[in-house]
mmCIF file of all heavy atoms in Angstrom:
data_model
loop_
_atom_site.group_PDB
_atom_site.id
_atom_site.type_symbol
_atom_site.label_atom_id
_atom_site.label_comp_id
_atom_site.label_asym_id
_atom_site.label_seq_id
_atom_site.Cartn_x
_atom_site.Cartn_y
_atom_site.Cartn_z
ATOM 1 N N HIS L 205 -6.763 50.839 6.565
ATOM 2 C CA HIS L 205 -5.595 50.555 7.406
ATOM 3 C C HIS L 205 -5.918 50.725 8.895
ATOM 4 O O HIS L 205 -5.091 50.419 9.748
ATOM 5 C CB HIS L 205 -4.374 51.392 6.994
ATOM 6 C CG HIS L 205 -4.580 52.873 7.011
ATOM 7 N ND1 HIS L 205 -4.019 53.704 6.075
ATOM 8 C CD2 HIS L 205 -5.266 53.677 7.847
ATOM 9 C CE1 HIS L 205 -4.334 54.952 6.340
ATOM 10 N NE2 HIS L 205 -5.092 54.960 7.426
ATOM 11 N N LYS L 206 -7.088 51.255 9.157
ATOM 12 C CA LYS L 206 -7.538 51.341 10.553
ATOM 13 C C LYS L 206 -9.063 51.290 10.512
ATOM 14 O O LYS L 206 -9.672 52.033 9.739
ATOM 15 C CB LYS L 206 -7.055 52.656 11.174
ATOM 16 C CG LYS L 206 -7.563 52.905 12.586
ATOM 17 C CD LYS L 206 -6.995 54.205 13.153
ATOM 18 C CE LYS L 206 -7.487 54.462 14.559
ATOM 19 N NZ LYS L 206 -6.904 55.692 15.134
ATOM 20 N N TYR L 217 -6.334 47.361 13.315
ATOM 21 C CA TYR L 217 -5.334 47.870 12.372
ATOM 22 C C TYR L 217 -4.937 46.801 11.351
ATOM 23 O O TYR L 217 -3.911 46.130 11.530
ATOM 24 C CB TYR L 217 -4.099 48.345 13.137
ATOM 25 C CG TYR L 217 -4.385 49.502 14.072
ATOM 26 C CD1 TYR L 217 -4.849 49.275 15.371
ATOM 27 C CD2 TYR L 217 -4.221 50.814 13.641
ATOM 28 C CE1 TYR L 217 -5.130 50.328 16.226
ATOM 29 C CE2 TYR L 217 -4.496 51.868 14.486
ATOM 30 C CZ TYR L 217 -4.959 51.625 15.780
ATOM 31 O OH TYR L 217 -5.234 52.670 16.607
ATOM 32 N N VAL L 220 -0.836 47.182 6.188
ATOM 33 C CA VAL L 220 -0.821 47.736 4.826
ATOM 34 C C VAL L 220 -0.183 46.677 3.927
ATOM 35 O O VAL L 220 1.005 46.419 4.006
ATOM 36 C CB VAL L 220 -0.038 49.061 4.800
ATOM 37 C CG1 VAL L 220 0.110 49.578 3.378
ATOM 38 C CG2 VAL L 220 -0.744 50.081 5.685
ATOM 39 N N LEU L 221 -0.981 46.051 3.092
ATOM 40 C CA LEU L 221 -0.548 44.836 2.394
ATOM 41 C C LEU L 221 -0.561 44.962 0.882
ATOM 42 O O LEU L 221 0.250 44.356 0.192
ATOM 43 C CB LEU L 221 -1.489 43.688 2.822
ATOM 44 C CG LEU L 221 -1.240 42.316 2.223
ATOM 45 C CD1 LEU L 221 0.067 41.740 2.775
ATOM 46 C CD2 LEU L 221 -2.392 41.363 2.562
ATOM 47 N N ASP L 223 0.081 46.539 -2.488
ATOM 48 C CA ASP L 223 0.960 47.574 -3.053
ATOM 49 C C ASP L 223 0.204 48.573 -3.917
ATOM 50 O O ASP L 223 0.509 49.753 -3.930
ATOM 51 C CB ASP L 223 2.044 46.921 -3.918
ATOM 52 C CG ASP L 223 2.969 46.069 -3.075
ATOM 53 O OD1 ASP L 223 3.191 46.455 -1.924
ATOM 54 O OD2 ASP L 223 3.437 45.031 -3.562
ATOM 55 N N THR L 227 -4.620 53.440 0.949
ATOM 56 C CA THR L 227 -5.337 53.032 2.169
ATOM 57 C C THR L 227 -5.931 54.251 2.864
ATOM 58 O O THR L 227 -5.541 55.393 2.598
ATOM 59 C CB THR L 227 -4.398 52.304 3.146
ATOM 60 O OG1 THR L 227 -3.377 53.220 3.565
ATOM 61 C CG2 THR L 227 -3.762 51.084 2.511
ATOM 62 N N SER L 262 -5.743 34.712 11.321
ATOM 63 C CA SER L 262 -4.648 35.606 11.688
ATOM 64 C C SER L 262 -5.001 37.026 11.263
ATOM 65 O O SER L 262 -5.541 37.224 10.172
ATOM 66 C CB SER L 262 -3.380 35.159 10.969
ATOM 67 O OG SER L 262 -2.454 36.214 10.946
ATOM 68 N N PRO L 263 -4.693 38.035 12.088
ATOM 69 C CA PRO L 263 -5.016 39.419 11.689
ATOM 70 C C PRO L 263 -4.307 39.859 10.413
ATOM 71 O O PRO L 263 -4.709 40.828 9.785
ATOM 72 C CB PRO L 263 -4.578 40.268 12.884
ATOM 73 C CG PRO L 263 -3.777 39.380 13.755
ATOM 74 C CD PRO L 263 -4.113 37.964 13.425
ATOM 75 N N GLU L 264 -3.247 39.134 10.030
ATOM 76 C CA GLU L 264 -2.587 39.483 8.755
ATOM 77 C C GLU L 264 -3.522 39.213 7.581
ATOM 78 O O GLU L 264 -3.325 39.732 6.486
ATOM 79 C CB GLU L 264 -1.316 38.637 8.548
ATOM 80 C CG GLU L 264 -0.378 38.516 9.736
ATOM 81 C CD GLU L 264 0.242 39.823 10.161
ATOM 82 O OE1 GLU L 264 0.317 40.737 9.344
ATOM 83 O OE2 GLU L 264 0.620 39.926 11.354
ATOM 84 N N LEU L 309 -0.676 34.930 0.556
ATOM 85 C CA LEU L 309 -0.341 34.984 1.979
ATOM 86 C C LEU L 309 -0.964 33.797 2.715
ATOM 87 O O LEU L 309 -0.323 33.147 3.548
ATOM 88 C CB LEU L 309 -0.858 36.314 2.546
ATOM 89 C CG LEU L 309 -0.345 36.730 3.901
ATOM 90 C CD1 LEU L 309 1.161 36.768 3.931
ATOM 91 C CD2 LEU L 309 -0.896 38.128 4.248
ATOM 92 N N PHE L 313 0.793 30.696 5.015
ATOM 93 C CA PHE L 313 0.381 30.229 6.348
ATOM 94 C C PHE L 313 0.008 28.747 6.310
ATOM 95 O O PHE L 313 0.400 27.977 7.185
ATOM 96 C CB PHE L 313 -0.822 31.029 6.849
ATOM 97 C CG PHE L 313 -0.461 32.364 7.427
ATOM 98 C CD1 PHE L 313 -0.811 33.536 6.792
ATOM 99 C CD2 PHE L 313 0.219 32.444 8.630
ATOM 100 C CE1 PHE L 313 -0.478 34.771 7.328
ATOM 101 C CE2 PHE L 313 0.549 33.674 9.183
ATOM 102 C CZ PHE L 313 0.203 34.840 8.526
ATOM 103 N N ARG L 316 2.996 26.525 6.174
ATOM 104 C CA ARG L 316 3.759 26.528 7.416
ATOM 105 C C ARG L 316 3.041 25.743 8.512
ATOM 106 O O ARG L 316 3.645 25.101 9.348
ATOM 107 C CB ARG L 316 3.985 27.973 7.850
ATOM 108 C CG ARG L 316 5.127 28.104 8.827
ATOM 109 C CD ARG L 316 5.088 29.382 9.602
ATOM 110 N NE ARG L 316 5.011 30.581 8.807
ATOM 111 C CZ ARG L 316 4.594 31.739 9.335
ATOM 112 N NH1 ARG L 316 4.250 31.813 10.611
ATOM 113 N NH2 ARG L 316 4.532 32.815 8.599
ATOM 114 N N ARG L 342 5.840 17.404 15.998
ATOM 115 C CA ARG L 342 7.145 18.076 16.012
ATOM 116 C C ARG L 342 8.273 17.117 15.596
ATOM 117 O O ARG L 342 9.188 17.496 14.869
ATOM 118 C CB ARG L 342 7.407 18.672 17.403
ATOM 119 C CG ARG L 342 8.728 19.420 17.507
ATOM 120 C CD ARG L 342 8.826 20.596 16.548
ATOM 121 N NE ARG L 342 10.180 21.123 16.452
ATOM 122 C CZ ARG L 342 10.744 21.551 15.332
ATOM 123 N NH1 ARG L 342 10.075 21.549 14.202
ATOM 124 N NH2 ARG L 342 11.970 22.009 15.331
ATOM 125 N N GLN L 345 8.180 16.824 11.929
ATOM 126 C CA GLN L 345 8.736 18.062 11.321
ATOM 127 C C GLN L 345 10.256 17.986 11.336
ATOM 128 O O GLN L 345 10.926 18.292 10.357
ATOM 129 C CB GLN L 345 8.307 19.294 12.113
ATOM 130 C CG GLN L 345 6.956 19.836 11.768
ATOM 131 C CD GLN L 345 6.583 21.001 12.692
ATOM 132 O OE1 GLN L 345 7.201 21.223 13.732
ATOM 133 N NE2 GLN L 345 5.550 21.733 12.308
ATOM 134 N N ARG L 346 10.805 17.595 12.483
ATOM 135 C CA ARG L 346 12.265 17.521 12.592
ATOM 136 C C ARG L 346 12.817 16.489 11.609
ATOM 137 O O ARG L 346 13.861 16.699 11.001
ATOM 138 C CB ARG L 346 12.667 17.147 14.027
ATOM 139 C CG ARG L 346 12.439 18.261 15.033
ATOM 140 C CD ARG L 346 12.778 17.813 16.446
ATOM 141 N NE ARG L 346 14.184 17.433 16.583
ATOM 142 C CZ ARG L 346 14.659 16.669 17.576
ATOM 143 N NH1 ARG L 346 13.842 16.221 18.513
ATOM 144 N NH2 ARG L 346 15.940 16.369 17.626
ATOM 145 N N VAL L 349 13.119 17.923 8.242
ATOM 146 C CA VAL L 349 14.226 18.877 8.128
ATOM 147 C C VAL L 349 15.574 18.164 8.093
ATOM 148 O O VAL L 349 16.427 18.479 7.273
ATOM 149 C CB VAL L 349 14.191 19.871 9.325
ATOM 150 C CG1 VAL L 349 15.394 20.796 9.293
ATOM 151 C CG2 VAL L 349 12.909 20.666 9.332
ATOM 152 N N LEU L 350 15.733 17.198 8.970
ATOM 153 C CA LEU L 350 17.071 16.621 9.157
ATOM 154 C C LEU L 350 17.329 15.368 8.327
ATOM 155 O O LEU L 350 18.464 15.086 7.968
ATOM 156 C CB LEU L 350 17.293 16.280 10.646
ATOM 157 C CG LEU L 350 17.221 17.464 11.619
ATOM 158 C CD1 LEU L 350 17.291 16.976 13.053
ATOM 159 C CD2 LEU L 350 18.356 18.448 11.336
ATOM 160 N N ASP L 379 17.950 12.770 17.712
ATOM 161 C CA ASP L 379 18.944 13.390 18.596
ATOM 162 C C ASP L 379 20.375 13.027 18.202
ATOM 163 O O ASP L 379 21.325 13.653 18.661
ATOM 164 C CB ASP L 379 18.676 13.014 20.063
ATOM 165 C CG ASP L 379 17.461 13.768 20.593
ATOM 166 O OD1 ASP L 379 16.992 14.694 19.893
ATOM 167 O OD2 ASP L 379 16.973 13.427 21.680
ATOM 168 N N GLU L 381 21.390 13.386 15.205
ATOM 169 C CA GLU L 381 21.756 14.298 14.108
ATOM 170 C C GLU L 381 22.354 15.580 14.673
ATOM 171 O O GLU L 381 21.858 16.113 15.669
ATOM 172 C CB GLU L 381 20.512 14.674 13.286
ATOM 173 C CG GLU L 381 19.985 13.538 12.455
ATOM 174 C CD GLU L 381 21.023 13.012 11.463
ATOM 175 O OE1 GLU L 381 21.541 13.817 10.671
ATOM 176 O OE2 GLU L 381 21.305 11.803 11.504
ATOM 177 N N SER L 382 23.389 16.074 14.042
ATOM 178 C CA SER L 382 23.920 17.363 14.507
ATOM 179 C C SER L 382 23.711 18.421 13.422
ATOM 180 O O SER L 382 23.399 18.099 12.272
ATOM 181 C CB SER L 382 25.379 17.250 14.910
ATOM 182 O OG SER L 382 26.071 16.492 13.972
ATOM 183 N N LEU L 383 23.884 19.651 13.841
ATOM 184 C CA LEU L 383 23.640 20.781 12.943
ATOM 185 C C LEU L 383 24.814 20.933 11.982
ATOM 186 O O LEU L 383 25.963 21.024 12.417
ATOM 187 C CB LEU L 383 23.477 22.053 13.785
ATOM 188 C CG LEU L 383 23.127 23.338 13.064
ATOM 189 C CD1 LEU L 383 21.765 23.237 12.393
ATOM 190 C CD2 LEU L 383 23.135 24.510 14.051
ATOM 191 N N THR L 384 24.515 20.953 10.706
ATOM 192 C CA THR L 384 25.592 21.127 9.724
ATOM 193 C C THR L 384 25.280 22.305 8.825
ATOM 194 O O THR L 384 24.108 22.660 8.642
ATOM 195 C CB THR L 384 25.750 19.870 8.831
ATOM 196 O OG1 THR L 384 24.465 19.549 8.310
ATOM 197 C CG2 THR L 384 26.299 18.689 9.597
ATOM 198 N N LEU L 385 26.304 22.875 8.266
ATOM 199 C CA LEU L 385 26.096 23.949 7.281
ATOM 200 C C LEU L 385 25.733 23.320 5.946
ATOM 201 O O LEU L 385 26.358 22.336 5.549
ATOM 202 C CB LEU L 385 27.388 24.744 7.114
ATOM 203 C CG LEU L 385 27.641 25.856 8.106
ATOM 204 C CD1 LEU L 385 29.094 26.307 8.019
ATOM 205 C CD2 LEU L 385 26.720 27.030 7.857
ATOM 206 N N PRO L 386 24.753 23.874 5.248
ATOM 207 C CA PRO L 386 24.469 23.356 3.915
ATOM 208 C C PRO L 386 25.703 23.536 3.027
ATOM 209 O O PRO L 386 26.559 24.382 3.302
ATOM 210 C CB PRO L 386 23.323 24.223 3.411
ATOM 211 C CG PRO L 386 22.830 24.967 4.603
ATOM 212 C CD PRO L 386 23.920 25.000 5.607
ATOM 213 N N ALA L 388 28.217 24.833 0.437
ATOM 214 C CA ALA L 388 28.391 26.232 0.004
ATOM 215 C C ALA L 388 27.959 26.365 -1.451
ATOM 216 O O ALA L 388 28.067 25.445 -2.226
ATOM 217 C CB ALA L 388 29.829 26.643 0.151
ATOM 218 N N PRO B 311 1.410 55.302 4.237
ATOM 219 C CA PRO B 311 0.297 55.801 5.044
ATOM 220 C C PRO B 311 0.747 56.201 6.458
ATOM 221 O O PRO B 311 1.565 55.493 7.060
ATOM 222 C CB PRO B 311 -0.659 54.604 5.121
ATOM 223 C CG PRO B 311 -0.264 53.702 4.014
ATOM 224 C CD PRO B 311 1.182 53.934 3.753
ATOM 225 N N ILE B 313 -0.659 56.668 10.117
ATOM 226 C CA ILE B 313 -1.865 56.177 10.805
ATOM 227 C C ILE B 313 -1.779 56.548 12.275
ATOM 228 O O ILE B 313 -0.791 56.238 12.949
ATOM 229 C CB ILE B 313 -1.965 54.635 10.639
ATOM 230 C CG1 ILE B 313 -1.908 54.264 9.140
ATOM 231 C CG2 ILE B 313 -3.227 54.105 11.289
ATOM 232 C CD1 ILE B 313 -1.584 52.798 8.868
ATOM 233 N N ARG B 314 -2.821 57.202 12.753
ATOM 234 C CA ARG B 314 -2.824 57.600 14.166
ATOM 235 C C ARG B 314 -3.267 56.438 15.038
ATOM 236 O O ARG B 314 -4.184 55.700 14.678
ATOM 237 C CB ARG B 314 -3.809 58.753 14.392
ATOM 238 C CG ARG B 314 -3.415 60.055 13.729
ATOM 239 C CD ARG B 314 -4.583 61.020 13.813
ATOM 240 N NE ARG B 314 -4.360 62.190 13.011
ATOM 241 C CZ ARG B 314 -3.966 63.372 13.488
ATOM 242 N NH1 ARG B 314 -3.762 63.522 14.788
ATOM 243 N NH2 ARG B 314 -3.794 64.391 12.692
ATOM 244 N N CYS B 315 -2.615 56.296 16.213
ATOM 245 C CA CYS B 315 -3.117 55.324 17.191
ATOM 246 C C CYS B 315 -3.048 55.980 18.566
ATOM 247 O O CYS B 315 -2.337 56.968 18.750
ATOM 248 C CB CYS B 315 -2.313 54.027 17.142
ATOM 249 S SG CYS B 315 -0.557 54.210 17.441
ATOM 250 N N GLU B 320 -1.619 49.066 20.980
ATOM 251 C CA GLU B 320 -2.800 48.706 20.174
ATOM 252 C C GLU B 320 -2.380 48.039 18.869
ATOM 253 O O GLU B 320 -3.081 47.186 18.342
ATOM 254 C CB GLU B 320 -3.525 49.990 19.727
ATOM 255 C CG GLU B 320 -4.508 50.594 20.656
ATOM 256 C CD GLU B 320 -5.059 51.841 19.967
ATOM 257 O OE1 GLU B 320 -4.367 52.893 19.994
ATOM 258 O OE2 GLU B 320 -6.136 51.768 19.384
ATOM 259 N N ARG B 324 -1.070 43.419 19.452
ATOM 260 C CA ARG B 324 -2.286 42.705 19.080
ATOM 261 C C ARG B 324 -2.036 41.212 19.048
ATOM 262 O O ARG B 324 -0.996 40.756 18.589
ATOM 263 C CB ARG B 324 -2.769 43.143 17.686
ATOM 264 C CG ARG B 324 -3.524 44.422 17.678
ATOM 265 C CD ARG B 324 -3.798 44.840 16.267
ATOM 266 N NE ARG B 324 -2.564 44.893 15.498
ATOM 267 C CZ ARG B 324 -2.480 44.601 14.205
ATOM 268 N NH1 ARG B 324 -3.538 44.230 13.533
ATOM 269 N NH2 ARG B 324 -1.328 44.685 13.571
ATOM 270 N N HIS B 325 -2.999 40.487 19.492
ATOM 271 C CA HIS B 325 -2.881 39.027 19.538
ATOM 272 C C HIS B 325 -2.900 38.434 18.126
ATOM 273 O O HIS B 325 -3.610 38.934 17.258
ATOM 274 C CB HIS B 325 -4.047 38.482 20.364
ATOM 275 C CG HIS B 325 -4.025 37.006 20.470
ATOM 276 N ND1 HIS B 325 -3.079 36.342 21.216
ATOM 277 C CD2 HIS B 325 -4.799 36.066 19.905
ATOM 278 C CE1 HIS B 325 -3.281 35.052 21.093
ATOM 279 N NE2 HIS B 325 -4.316 34.852 20.307
ATOM 280 N N GLY B 326 -2.111 37.398 17.921
ATOM 281 C CA GLY B 326 -2.220 36.618 16.691
ATOM 282 C C GLY B 326 -1.472 37.170 15.491
ATOM 283 O O GLY B 326 -1.612 36.648 14.390
ATOM 284 N N GLN B 327 -0.687 38.225 15.670
ATOM 285 C CA GLN B 327 0.081 38.740 14.533
ATOM 286 C C GLN B 327 1.164 37.727 14.145
ATOM 287 O O GLN B 327 1.509 36.849 14.928
ATOM 288 C CB GLN B 327 0.757 40.053 14.904
ATOM 289 C CG GLN B 327 -0.220 41.165 15.211
ATOM 290 C CD GLN B 327 0.524 42.427 15.632
ATOM 291 O OE1 GLN B 327 0.917 43.220 14.821
ATOM 292 N NE2 GLN B 327 0.713 42.594 16.932
ATOM 293 N N ASP B 328 1.708 37.899 12.977
ATOM 294 C CA ASP B 328 2.705 36.938 12.513
ATOM 295 C C ASP B 328 4.039 37.634 12.276
ATOM 296 O O ASP B 328 4.194 38.413 11.332
ATOM 297 C CB ASP B 328 2.231 36.259 11.235
ATOM 298 C CG ASP B 328 3.104 35.064 10.918
ATOM 299 O OD1 ASP B 328 2.873 34.004 11.520
ATOM 300 O OD2 ASP B 328 4.034 35.194 10.101
ATOM 301 N N GLN B 332 5.341 39.781 8.927
ATOM 302 C CA GLN B 332 5.597 41.220 9.112
ATOM 303 C C GLN B 332 7.055 41.579 8.829
ATOM 304 O O GLN B 332 7.358 42.696 8.427
ATOM 305 C CB GLN B 332 5.234 41.642 10.532
ATOM 306 C CG GLN B 332 3.749 41.637 10.773
ATOM 307 C CD GLN B 332 3.387 42.253 12.112
ATOM 308 O OE1 GLN B 332 4.255 42.693 12.858
ATOM 309 N NE2 GLN B 332 2.103 42.267 12.413
ATOM 310 N N ARG B 335 7.676 43.122 5.564
ATOM 311 C CA ARG B 335 7.129 44.461 5.299
ATOM 312 C C ARG B 335 6.884 45.179 6.627
ATOM 313 O O ARG B 335 5.740 45.490 6.964
ATOM 314 C CB ARG B 335 5.775 44.376 4.595
ATOM 315 C CG ARG B 335 5.728 43.681 3.260
ATOM 316 C CD ARG B 335 4.287 43.533 2.807
ATOM 317 N NE ARG B 335 3.580 44.806 2.761
ATOM 318 C CZ ARG B 335 3.576 45.614 1.711
ATOM 319 N NH1 ARG B 335 4.215 45.284 0.628
ATOM 320 N NH2 ARG B 335 2.921 46.752 1.741
ATOM 321 N N ARG B 479 30.497 32.037 7.159
ATOM 322 C CA ARG B 479 29.597 31.058 6.544
ATOM 323 C C ARG B 479 28.305 30.939 7.362
ATOM 324 O O ARG B 479 27.220 30.829 6.817
ATOM 325 C CB ARG B 479 30.273 29.677 6.464
ATOM 326 C CG ARG B 479 31.114 29.470 5.266
ATOM 327 C CD ARG B 479 30.283 29.231 3.982
ATOM 328 N NE ARG B 479 29.727 27.885 3.920
ATOM 329 C CZ ARG B 479 28.436 27.586 3.859
ATOM 330 N NH1 ARG B 479 27.528 28.542 3.876
ATOM 331 N NH2 ARG B 479 28.020 26.342 3.788
ATOM 332 N N GLU B 483 24.413 32.148 6.308
ATOM 333 C CA GLU B 483 23.333 31.156 6.340
ATOM 334 C C GLU B 483 22.175 31.604 7.226
ATOM 335 O O GLU B 483 21.011 31.400 6.890
ATOM 336 C CB GLU B 483 23.914 29.841 6.887
ATOM 337 C CG GLU B 483 23.012 28.642 6.733
ATOM 338 C CD GLU B 483 22.674 28.343 5.283
ATOM 339 O OE1 GLU B 483 23.563 28.491 4.429
ATOM 340 O OE2 GLU B 483 21.509 27.994 5.010
ATOM 341 N N ILE B 518 27.138 24.442 15.246
ATOM 342 C CA ILE B 518 27.267 23.520 14.115
ATOM 343 C C ILE B 518 28.320 22.459 14.455
ATOM 344 O O ILE B 518 29.178 22.666 15.319
ATOM 345 C CB ILE B 518 27.669 24.261 12.813
ATOM 346 C CG1 ILE B 518 28.926 25.079 13.016
ATOM 347 C CG2 ILE B 518 26.546 25.108 12.287
ATOM 348 C CD1 ILE B 518 29.526 25.549 11.723
ATOM 349 N N GLU B 519 28.253 21.377 13.718
ATOM 350 C CA GLU B 519 29.120 20.228 13.981
ATOM 351 C C GLU B 519 30.602 20.639 13.999
ATOM 352 O O GLU B 519 31.353 20.242 14.865
ATOM 353 C CB GLU B 519 28.882 19.207 12.871
ATOM 354 C CG GLU B 519 29.314 17.819 13.196
ATOM 355 C CD GLU B 519 28.886 16.892 12.062
ATOM 356 O OE1 GLU B 519 28.897 17.304 10.883
ATOM 357 O OE2 GLU B 519 28.545 15.748 12.354
ATOM 358 N N VAL B 560 9.741 27.937 16.712
ATOM 359 C CA VAL B 560 9.536 26.749 15.874
ATOM 360 C C VAL B 560 8.270 26.921 15.034
ATOM 361 O O VAL B 560 8.238 26.572 13.857
ATOM 362 C CB VAL B 560 9.441 25.481 16.757
ATOM 363 C CG1 VAL B 560 8.897 24.309 15.952
ATOM 364 C CG2 VAL B 560 10.805 25.135 17.334
ATOM 365 N N LYS B 561 7.240 27.478 15.635
ATOM 366 C CA LYS B 561 5.990 27.692 14.881
ATOM 367 C C LYS B 561 6.210 28.637 13.704
ATOM 368 O O LYS B 561 5.595 28.497 12.654
ATOM 369 C CB LYS B 561 4.927 28.291 15.807
ATOM 370 C CG LYS B 561 4.090 27.251 16.484
ATOM 371 C CD LYS B 561 2.848 27.859 17.073
ATOM 372 C CE LYS B 561 2.095 26.824 17.885
ATOM 373 N NZ LYS B 561 1.369 27.407 18.987
ATOM 374 N N LEU B 562 7.085 29.603 13.892
ATOM 375 C CA LEU B 562 7.356 30.554 12.803
ATOM 376 C C LEU B 562 8.223 29.922 11.719
ATOM 377 O O LEU B 562 8.088 30.245 10.546
ATOM 378 C CB LEU B 562 8.066 31.798 13.351
ATOM 379 C CG LEU B 562 7.226 32.722 14.213
ATOM 380 C CD1 LEU B 562 8.101 33.762 14.892
ATOM 381 C CD2 LEU B 562 6.151 33.408 13.387
ATOM 382 N N PRO B 564 9.109 26.188 11.165
ATOM 383 C CA PRO B 564 9.177 24.741 11.445
ATOM 384 C C PRO B 564 10.220 24.027 10.591
ATOM 385 O O PRO B 564 10.690 22.960 10.954
ATOM 386 C CB PRO B 564 7.764 24.244 11.108
ATOM 387 C CG PRO B 564 7.130 25.303 10.288
ATOM 388 C CD PRO B 564 7.806 26.595 10.636
ATOM 389 N N PRO B 567 16.574 24.061 10.366
ATOM 390 C CA PRO B 567 17.456 23.081 11.021
ATOM 391 C C PRO B 567 17.999 23.553 12.377
ATOM 392 O O PRO B 567 18.220 22.741 13.275
ATOM 393 C CB PRO B 567 18.606 22.907 10.028
ATOM 394 C CG PRO B 567 18.084 23.374 8.725
ATOM 395 C CD PRO B 567 17.034 24.401 9.008
ATOM 396 N N LEU B 568 18.182 24.859 12.524
ATOM 397 C CA LEU B 568 18.698 25.386 13.804
ATOM 398 C C LEU B 568 17.850 24.930 14.984
ATOM 399 O O LEU B 568 18.343 24.761 16.089
ATOM 400 C CB LEU B 568 18.641 26.917 13.795
ATOM 401 C CG LEU B 568 19.833 27.731 13.371
ATOM 402 C CD1 LEU B 568 19.538 29.194 13.629
ATOM 403 C CD2 LEU B 568 21.094 27.329 14.095
ATOM 404 N N PHE B 569 16.537 24.807 14.735
ATOM 405 C CA PHE B 569 15.638 24.445 15.838
ATOM 406 C C PHE B 569 15.335 22.947 15.866
ATOM 407 O O PHE B 569 14.589 22.481 16.710
ATOM 408 C CB PHE B 569 14.313 25.219 15.726
ATOM 409 C CG PHE B 569 14.487 26.714 15.624
ATOM 410 C CD1 PHE B 569 13.702 27.471 14.755
ATOM 411 C CD2 PHE B 569 15.426 27.367 16.406
ATOM 412 C CE1 PHE B 569 13.867 28.844 14.653
ATOM 413 C CE2 PHE B 569 15.601 28.743 16.312
ATOM 414 C CZ PHE B 569 14.825 29.481 15.430
ATOM 415 N N ALA B 570 15.861 22.220 14.892
ATOM 416 C CA ALA B 570 15.492 20.801 14.787
ATOM 417 C C ALA B 570 16.513 19.878 15.442
ATOM 418 O O ALA B 570 16.214 18.738 15.743
ATOM 419 C CB ALA B 570 15.318 20.419 13.314
ATOM 420 N N THR B 571 17.728 20.382 15.643
ATOM 421 C CA THR B 571 18.748 19.530 16.269
ATOM 422 C C THR B 571 18.707 19.722 17.779
ATOM 423 O O THR B 571 18.156 20.705 18.275
ATOM 424 C CB THR B 571 20.153 19.900 15.740
ATOM 425 O OG1 THR B 571 20.254 21.316 15.671
ATOM 426 C CG2 THR B 571 20.388 19.313 14.381
ATOM 427 N N SER B 572 19.297 18.782 18.499
ATOM 428 C CA SER B 572 19.199 18.874 19.961
ATOM 429 C C SER B 572 20.312 19.765 20.512
ATOM 430 O O SER B 572 21.306 20.046 19.833
ATOM 431 C CB SER B 572 19.241 17.485 20.575
ATOM 432 O OG SER B 572 20.335 16.796 20.044
#
Side-chain angles (χ1 to χ4, degrees):
Chain L
H205 57 217
K206 175 178 180 178
Y217 297 86
V220 174
L221 180 69
D223 295 327
T227 63
S262 161
E264 314 296 337
L309 194 55
F313 280 111
R316 199 199 306 161
R342 181 60 192 141
Q345 276 176 345
R346 289 177 62 199
V349 175
L350 299 173
D379 286 349
E381 289 301 305
S382 43
L383 184 63
T384 51
L385 275 166
Chain B
I313 306 163
R314 293 170 190 259
C315 58
E320 275 180 280
R324 280 173 306 147
H325 180 70
Q327 296 178 87
D328 192 81
Q332 289 189 0
R335 300 172 56 87
R479 274 285 284 120
E483 191 60 38
I518 54 167
E519 199 174 35
V560 166
K561 269 195 186 149
L562 290 170
L568 266 187
F569 306 139
T571 42
S572 50

